[in-house]
Amino acid sequence: MKNRIKVLRAERDWSQQTLADRLDVSRQTINSIERGKYDPSLPLAFSLARIFECNIEDIFQPE
């Protein structure tokens, strides 16, 4: 699954650690999601959408 987390994070000038802290997950989790090595759970995907103030479809796209 492709995602735009790195772009959305950069637009806000957030580090991976900043986003991880906001989501209460590890920086490694954010890194793995950004690199496509890990697909987030549905609750985590909703949390990402809430934090970025967009829809899940605006963050994740099927490959």
Side-chain angles (χ1 to χ4, degrees):
M1 180 174 359
K2 291 196 256 179
N3 71 76
R4 298 184 56 242
I5 293 174
K6 187 173 183 177
V7 172
L8 294 167
R9 188 172 54 74
E11 289 174 354
R12 289 154 179 82
D13 199 26
W14 292 348
S15 68
Q16 287 183 341
Q17 187 64 58
T18 300
L19 181 57
D21 290 345
R22 287 173 175 257
L23 292 166
D24 198 26
V25 299
S26 70
R27 186 196 59 77
Q28 289 81 7
T29 297
I30 301 302
N31 185 49
S32 293
I33 294 170
E34 283 185 1
R35 296 175 60 199
K37 301 228 177 233
Y38 169 73
D39 289 333
S41 66
L42 192 54
L44 182 53
F46 274 106
S47 294
L48 283 161
R50 186 183 70 249
I51 284 176
F52 288 128
E53 298 179 336
C54 61
N55 295 316
I56 290 175
E57 297 87 354
D58 297 329
I59 302 172
F60 299 98
Q61 299 86 34
E63 292 188 73

